[in-house]
């Protein structure tokens, strides 16, 4: 069913809100009159983020320093912040490398921060979210990635964590229906943020056809789509196409989008196969010209 989730005068709590996409989401929510809480590790960056929001908008901003891997620290922060109406689980780390050479310690960091960290945040926030004053429709939004809709060369471990968030969102939505809490999951393409982007050559070539987005655009779309209760949130036309191709058994709050998914399912599968074809061609050419062994 279609749903409306108000933002104005409500409490929006954003993990990883001190920079990049999280800060852009915070600024968009602030511009729409929300009370903001930010959680991240570096106090310095949190302070700067708070200043930059308060300079532009007259809203209350609270900051909390905690590592999402530390459940007790997360719980303390959330209890201090008070009942949450919109929880944006945005924190995340990414390291792109072939699975074979990437260290297990690096993979574990991604699992611990991206997946376990998200469990910690949601688990700590749920009791307070159920306790929210107005009992109006509330939201939990998870930050995935287009690499959480499709596996891409060099993203093996990262993709696994971002695919994981989708399973979490689909299952949790069924549990939280009774509490009028609505799940969203965002799938941005490569976004210009401060984070360093070292990646394999092949990954670079595959991503060449997908231009970068600005964090501000992702922030705008995220808040706008949370308000309209969208479950899957693609960020651009290409993302929309991938979302239709990978709709699977995910919920859909828009009758229009549901109809498009049903009618064009076959066509979008065809387009997906063309994309794979092109991707595999890139990989085969690269391997051939670098004289890597190739199985026919
Ligand atoms: N940039 C991109 O191209 C894309 C990014 N994404 C996803 O969007 C989200 C944000 O990415 P982006 O803005 O680029 O990232 P940034 O690196 O710019 O910001 C990450 C934020 O998360 C916080 N953070 C990182 N680790 C922890 C931790 N252990 N505990 C608490 N906070 C933490 C950081 O603060 P601090 O370090 O101080 O803790 C910071 O506020 C991530 O989930 C990412 O996977 C998805 C698609 C594309
Ligand atoms: C052989 C397979 C071909 C498939 C083609 C699909 C094309 C989609 C490109 C989308 C790129 C999204 C990357 C997300 C980056 C991210 O999450 C950041 N953290 C890293 O920059």
């Amino acid at each position: 069913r279609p749903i409306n989730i108000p933002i104005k005068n409500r409490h929006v709590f954003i993990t990883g809100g001190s920079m990049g996409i999280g800060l852009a989401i915070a600024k968009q929510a602030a511009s729409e009159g929300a009370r903001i809480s930010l959680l991240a590790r570096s106090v310095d960056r949190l302070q700067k983020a708070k200043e930059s929001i308060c300079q532009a908008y007259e809203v209350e901003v609270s900051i909390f320093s905690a590592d999402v891997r530390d459940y007790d620290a997360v719980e303390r922060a959330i209890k201090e912040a008070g009942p949450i109406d919109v929880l944006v689980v945005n924190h995340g780390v990414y390291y792109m490398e072939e699975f074979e050479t990437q260290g297990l310690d690096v993979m574990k960091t991604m699992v611990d921060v991206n997946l376990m960290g998200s469990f910690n945040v949601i688990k700590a926030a749920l009791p307070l979210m159920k306790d929210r004053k107005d009992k109006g429709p509330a939201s939990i939004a998870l930050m995935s990635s287009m690499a959480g809709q499709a596996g891409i060369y060099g993203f093996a471990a990262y993709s696994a964590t971002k695919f994981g968030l989708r399973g979490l969102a689909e299952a949790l939505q069924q549990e939280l229906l009774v509490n009028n809490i609505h799940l969203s999951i965002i799938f941005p393409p490569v976004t210009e943020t401060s984070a360093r982007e070292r990646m394999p050559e092949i990954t670079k070539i595959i991503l060449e056809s997908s231009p970068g987005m600005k964090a501000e655009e992702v922030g705008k779309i995220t808040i706008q789509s949370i308000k309209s209760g969208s479950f899957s949130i693609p960020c651009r036309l290409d993302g929309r196409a991938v979302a239709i191709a990978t709709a699977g058994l995910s919920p859909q709050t828009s009758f229009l989008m549901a109809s498009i998914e049903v009618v064009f399912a076959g066509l979008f599968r065809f387009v997906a196969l063309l994309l794979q074809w092109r991707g595999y061609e890139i990989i085969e050419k690269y391997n051939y010209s670098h004289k890597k062994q190739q199985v026919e």
Side-chain angles (χ1 to χ4, degrees):
R1 254 179 256 121
I3 173 96
N4 267 306
I5 300 172
I7 288 279
K8 197 176 161 61
N9 292 324
R10 295 185 100 209
H11 181 202
V12 179
F13 189 103
I14 304 162
T15 68
S18 64
M19 56 186 191
I21 295 174
L23 179 57
I25 293 171
K27 285 184 173 162
Q28 182 61 32
S31 80
E32 302 191 16
R35 170 163 94 82
I36 308 290
S37 292
L38 308 176
L39 182 144
R41 287 166 306 175
S42 157
V43 180
D44 206 48
R45 274 198 293 266
L46 280 166
Q47 216 104 46
K48 286 200 180 100
K50 178 179 172 166
E51 276 163 30
S52 75
I53 298 171
C54 290
Q55 250 165 33
Y57 310 103
E58 267 191 37
V59 293
E60 200 186 321
V61 180
S62 314
I63 52 177
F64 303 93
S65 170
D67 190 316
V68 292
R69 288 168 290 190
D70 178 351
Y71 179 80
D72 293 332
V74 169
E75 194 185 37
R76 269 196 304 276
I78 288 178
K79 281 204 169 130
E80 200 185 321
I84 297 168
D85 301 303
V86 175
L87 174 66
V88 185
V89 186
N90 159 81
H91 69 265
V93 289
Y94 36 94
Y95 307 99
M96 285 77 81
E97 189 176 344
E98 278 90 353
F99 183 88
E100 206 181 347
T101 54
Q102 186 163 62
L104 277 167
D105 53 336
V106 176
M107 298 183 187
K108 188 171 181 315
T109 301
M110 286 193 276
V111 172
D112 286 347
V113 175
N114 299 0
L115 265 182
M116 281 311 298
S118 299
F119 295 171
N120 287 341
V121 169
I122 297 169
K123 206 151 178 83
L126 263 183
L128 280 157
M129 288 194 77
K130 291 185 179 180
D131 229 22
R132 67 194 180 276
K133 289 163 236 144
D134 57 9
K135 299 281 172 218
S139 165
I140 299 177
L142 309 182
M143 189 57 64
S144 180
S145 159
M146 277 183 79
Q149 296 175 299
I152 302 168
Y153 189 105
F155 283 92
Y158 176 73
S159 273
T161 69
K162 293 299 186 179
F163 268 73
L165 292 180
R166 174 166 172 171
L168 168 63
E170 288 188 5
L172 193 59
Q173 176 62 89
Q174 297 176 17
E175 285 187 33
L176 298 184
L177 216 51
V178 66
N179 304 110
N180 202 8
I181 297 175
H182 303 270
L183 269 291
S184 291
I185 180 157
I186 306 124
F187 300 105
V190 173
T191 306
E192 294 166 26
T193 60
S194 52
R196 70 281 107 183
E197 310 239 344
R198 269 186 35 231
M199 54 176 90
E201 274 308 307
I202 290 183
T203 310
K204 278 189 194 151
I205 302 169
I206 291 174
L207 296 187
E208 257 168 20
S209 62
S210 175
M213 252 178 112
K214 294 242 182 299
E216 291 68 34
E217 300 173 74
V218 175
K220 260 202 181 88
I221 287 158
T222 297
I223 289 298
Q224 181 190 307
S225 308
I226 286 175
K227 286 197 293 183
S228 66
S230 306
F231 181 82
S232 299
I233 306 183
C235 294
R236 226 175 25 199
L237 205 62
D238 56 343
R240 168 86 56 198
V242 176
I244 297 170
T246 60
L249 271 78
S250 61
Q252 178 56 266
T253 53
S254 150
F255 290 118
L256 174 66
M257 280 314 300
S259 312
I260 291 174
E261 284 167 3
V262 171
V263 173
F264 294 108
L267 178 66
F268 277 96
R269 174 62 181 144
F270 180 71
V271 174
L273 284 172
L274 288 182
L275 270 178
Q276 282 299 324
W277 193 330
R278 196 199 50 132
Y280 276 68
E281 218 162 48
I282 289 170
I283 296 164
E284 283 184 344
K285 264 198 199 124
Y286 185 93
N287 288 344
Y288 182 78
S289 65
H290 289 74
K291 308 232 179 333
K292 284 204 196 173
Q293 187 186 334
Q294 177 92 40
V295 185
E296 259 316 303

